């Protein structure tokens, strides 16, 4: 504008400059809120900034971090996916997405995302360590499901026992494994054991339809029609 003054452009430039100053102020407040661990306030401020600065990868990563701290990891995924596209070789974003999917119990999507990280850097220590863990777990679950399809319920139960040993830290895998063990016991007409394991699952997830159906089948085997 200094080199080529014009009334119309000056007004537009002044508006943009005012908006820019406002966004910088909001950015400072968002960083301050994050440092003070007020993640809800930080998210609210970042929402305002990202409505204008849609393509800012670092702001998206910061908002994703706030979502994770707030215990809402699934909301962090879309920001991290955008950040992975917006910033070249963003191995950190792929690693975080993979970890979130893993924590949420989606081992297949976790495996897919951690592979994207290793495509960018095959020597990435964190991604390689996570890849080995997820790949092992994924293989065990696939193998157990194949055994169930073949009607080899005892072998499938052993395989799901291995799943619980492979991942003792993330509770959802133990719950899913018990749900499938409950199914195998019911199909194998081991009614007493099936009722016990299905009940364990239903204490954690009272509306788990699969466990309810399998326990119902086990009750029928025991002639417990009311139950």
């Amino acid at each position: 504008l200094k080199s080529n003054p014009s009334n119309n452009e000056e007004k537009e430039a002044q508006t943009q400059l005012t908006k820019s100053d406002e966004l910088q102020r909001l950015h400072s407040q968002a960083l301050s809120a994050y440092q003070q661990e007020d993640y809800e306030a930080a998210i609210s401020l970042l929402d305002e900034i990202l409505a204008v600065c849609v393509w800012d990868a670092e702001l998206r990563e910061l908002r994703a971090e706030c979502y994770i701290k707030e215990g809402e990891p699934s909301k962090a995924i879309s920001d991290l996916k955008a950040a992975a596209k917006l910033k070249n070789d963003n191995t950190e974003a792929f690693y975080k997405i993979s970890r979130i999917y893993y924590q949420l119990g989606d081992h297949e999507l976790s495996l897919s995302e951690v592979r994207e990280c290793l495509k960018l850097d095959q020597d990435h220590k964190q991604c390689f360590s996570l890849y080995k863990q997820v790949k092992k777990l994924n293989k065990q679950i696939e193998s157990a499901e194949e055994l169930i399809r073949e009607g080899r319920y005892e072998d499938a139960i052993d395989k799901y026992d291995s799943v619980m040993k492979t991942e003792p830290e993330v509770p959802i895998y133990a719950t899913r494994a018990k749900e499938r063990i409950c199914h195998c016991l019911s199909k194998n007409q081991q009614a007493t054991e099936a009722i016990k394991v299905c009940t364990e699952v239903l204490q954690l997830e009272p509306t788990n339809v699969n466990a309810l159906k399998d326990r119902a089948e086990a009750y029928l085997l025991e002639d417990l029609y009311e139950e």
Side-chain angles (χ1 to χ4, degrees), residues 33 37-47 66 70 72:
E37 299 182 11
D38 185 354
Y39 304 116
E40 199 178 331
I43 290 166
S44 177
L45 291 158
L46 289 164
D47 286 347
C66 291
E70 278 286 281
E72 295 187 277

Side-chain angles (χ1 to χ4, degrees), residues 109-146:
L109 281 174
S110 175
L111 191 59
S112 166
E113 295 295 334
V114 80
R115 279 181 175 141
E116 291 300 318
C117 172
L118 290 170
K119 276 184 200 170
L120 295 171
D121 179 3
Q122 61 188 29
D123 298 320
H124 194 290
K125 282 184 182 173
Q126 286 176 307
C127 284
F128 186 65
S129 171
L130 181 60
Y131 171 70
K132 283 197 299 182
Q133 173 72 3
V134 186
K135 191 181 178 191
K136 182 181 178 182
L137 191 76
N138 199 53
K139 196 172 178 185
Q140 286 176 332
I141 292 170
E142 282 181 352
S143 172
E145 288 302 310
E146 183 60 35

Side-chain angles (χ1 to χ4, degrees), residues 16 31 33:
Q16 295 292 348
L31 288 174

Side-chain angles (χ1 to χ4, degrees), residues 65-80:
E65 199 57 39
C66 291
Y67 280 133
I68 292 165
K69 299 278 191 190
E70 278 286 281
E72 295 187 277
S74 51
K75 285 188 178 178
I77 290 172
S78 60
D79 273 337
L80 287 168

Side-chain angles (χ1 to χ4, degrees), residues 193-208:
E193 274 299 299
I195 291 164
K196 179 174 170 284
V197 178
C198 294
T199 301
E200 283 178 28
V201 175
L202 289 162
Q203 281 168 347
L204 296 167
E205 297 180 346
T207 57
N208 186 314

Side-chain angles (χ1 to χ4, degrees), residues 46-63:
L46 289 164
D47 286 347
E48 283 191 67
I49 306 167
L50 281 160
V52 181
C53 307
V54 183
W55 313 116
D56 192 310
E58 282 173 16
L59 289 177
R60 286 191 175 275
E61 285 174 335
L62 181 61
R63 186 167 67 177

